[in-house]
Amino acid sequence: QLEQKLQKEGYKNVEVLNYGAHGKSLYWIAQQYFKEVGTIQPDLVIINSIRNTFFDQLQRWTPYTDIVSPQKAVFLKAHLFLTDYCLSYRFLRKFIEKAQYTGNIKRYLKEKRDIDKADAGQVNGIFPDFFNKTYPTALEDINLDAKKRGIRFMLVVEPVRCVEDIDGPSCMWKKVTDGVPMYYEVFRGSIKKVQDKHHDMIVLDPVDEMIELANQQGKKQTIFYDVVHLTPEGNTVFSNIIAARIIDEKLLPKHQ
């Protein structure tokens, strides 16, 4: 849909490649970026990942240290090779990861109220290193690499919508009082850290706009399938918002 919209606006030879995959976090996305960017050589890279990145941290705690960026390529390729083909190395790595998880995450989630607090999005105190360092550093690495290659980089915040149920406002299966999950604000704070350092990183936050469009339709709104997923019509709205930003800021060349 994004490709068709841009072609109608005069970008005749544009090609949009969709690397989206179900349930993947920024960790997986960053791996794909550094693996594929040299081959594809795109003009623009668009990433959106908040929800699955949050749950990846909450459920598994991915340390992000083995993302094969150009700066770490030689060492990490050897590391991943040993992980794939050496059982003793793989066992040692799993042991270390388990110890890291126990020491850095599990100790914060001993009681049900702590888990509920994390689920509700009040996570800055539970995962301070992730939101203050790991997440923004991963974005920064992609942005700097893209800039070095002459590629524009856009980060898009994922749309989400709360709805009224019989018990009151419901969002992400937890009861909250505002329009979006509270952990979105923690992610926005992390994103701002990168923006403050790198003003060339483009950030598109369509959440409020898409909630407003859905609210204007009333109870029979057709944009959100549920509180976190879009309908086909919602995907059209989403792609149109992205296309408008690309066109307004001339982020792609108009090849004749």
Side-chain angles (χ1 to χ4, degrees), residues 48-60:
N48 72 321
S49 182
I50 285 183
R51 291 195 304 268
N52 291 321
T53 298
F54 168 70
F55 286 115
D56 184 51
Q57 288 303 296
L58 183 63
Q59 296 167 1
R60 197 168 74 87

Side-chain angles (χ1 to χ4, degrees), residues 232-246:
E233 182 178 328
N235 278 309
T236 299
V237 172
F238 189 35
S239 64
N240 285 343
I241 291 174
I242 295 172
R245 184 66 175 271
I246 292 172

Side-chain angles (χ1 to χ4, degrees), residues 178-244:
D178 58 356
V180 295
M182 287 178 281
Y183 65 79
Y184 266 55
E185 297 309 317
V186 186
F187 275 100
R188 286 182 173 116
S190 295
I191 293 166
K192 189 175 184 301
K193 291 179 186 294
V194 187
Q195 280 184 289
D196 289 343
K197 290 177 63 178
H198 306 282
H199 301 290
D200 55 333
M201 188 179 84
I202 304 150
V203 177
L204 173 59
D205 189 341
V207 176
D208 290 342
E209 180 179 355
M210 295 192 69
I211 290 175
E212 179 60 28
L213 290 172
N215 290 342
Q216 289 174 6
Q217 293 182 344
K219 291 184 177 180
K220 295 185 178 180
Q221 65 85 24
T222 58
I223 293 176
F224 290 89
Y225 175 76
D226 53 22
V227 296
V228 296
H229 298 104
L230 298 174
T231 64
E233 182 178 328
N235 278 309
T236 299
V237 172
F238 189 35
S239 64
N240 285 343
I241 291 174
I242 295 172

Side-chain angles (χ1 to χ4, degrees), residues 33-244:
Y33 168 82
F34 287 113
K35 179 181 177 182
E36 302 286 351
V37 66
T39 302
I40 296 174
Q41 298 182 339
D43 296 302
L44 172 66
V45 170
I46 303 172
I47 288 176
N48 72 321
S49 182
I50 285 183
R51 291 195 304 268
N52 291 321
T53 298
F54 168 70
F55 286 115
D56 184 51
Q57 288 303 296
L58 183 63
Q59 296 167 1
R60 197 168 74 87
W61 190 67
T62 302
Y64 281 61
T65 53
D66 59 351
I67 295 175
V68 185
S69 63
Q71 303 95 313
K72 302 179 290 184
V74 175
F75 170 78
L76 286 174
K77 284 180 180 178
H79 164 69
L80 295 176
F81 177 85
L82 290 171
T83 300
D84 288 339
Y85 294 104
C86 180
L87 289 176
S88 57
Y89 187 88
R90 186 188 308 174
F91 172 79
L92 180 61
R93 182 186 178 195
K94 290 292 184 183
F95 177 82
I96 292 172
E97 286 180 350
K98 183 70 173 178
Q100 288 175 325
Y101 175 81
T102 302
N104 291 281
I105 301 297
K106 199 171 182 179
R107 64 192 176 96
Y108 290 114
L109 303 177
K110 291 180 179 179
E111 300 180 18
K112 184 179 183 302
R113 63 183 176 85
D114 294 324
I115 297 173
D116 290 342
K117 183 179 178 183
D119 283 346
Q122 299 171 4
V123 290
N124 200 29
I126 295 178
F127 305 133
D129 287 344
F130 179 76
F131 287 106
N132 293 327
K133 183 179 179 182
T134 305
Y135 182 80
T137 297
L139 292 179
E140 185 177 28
D141 286 348
I142 295 172
N143 184 62
L144 289 173
D145 184 80
K147 186 176 181 179
K148 188 182 298 184
R149 297 174 187 269
I151 300 168
R152 302 304 300 273
F153 171 48
M154 178 193 291
L155 177 68
V156 182
V157 179
E158 293 169 277
V160 66
R161 180 176 187 258
C162 293
V163 296
E164 291 284 340
D165 63 19
I166 58 174
D167 298 319
S170 175
C171 196
M172 293 302 294
W173 310 284
K174 297 292 176 183
K175 301 299 181 285
V176 296
T177 56
D178 58 356
V180 295
M182 287 178 281
Y183 65 79
Y184 266 55
E185 297 309 317
V186 186
F187 275 100
R188 286 182 173 116
S190 295
I191 293 166
K192 189 175 184 301
K193 291 179 186 294
V194 187
Q195 280 184 289
D196 289 343
K197 290 177 63 178
H198 306 282
H199 301 290
D200 55 333
M201 188 179 84
I202 304 150
V203 177
L204 173 59
D205 189 341
V207 176
D208 290 342
E209 180 179 355
M210 295 192 69
I211 290 175
E212 179 60 28
L213 290 172
N215 290 342
Q216 289 174 6
Q217 293 182 344
K219 291 184 177 180
K220 295 185 178 180
Q221 65 85 24
T222 58
I223 293 176
F224 290 89
Y225 175 76
D226 53 22
V227 296
V228 296
H229 298 104
L230 298 174
T231 64
E233 182 178 328
N235 278 309
T236 299
V237 172
F238 189 35
S239 64
N240 285 343
I241 291 174
I242 295 172

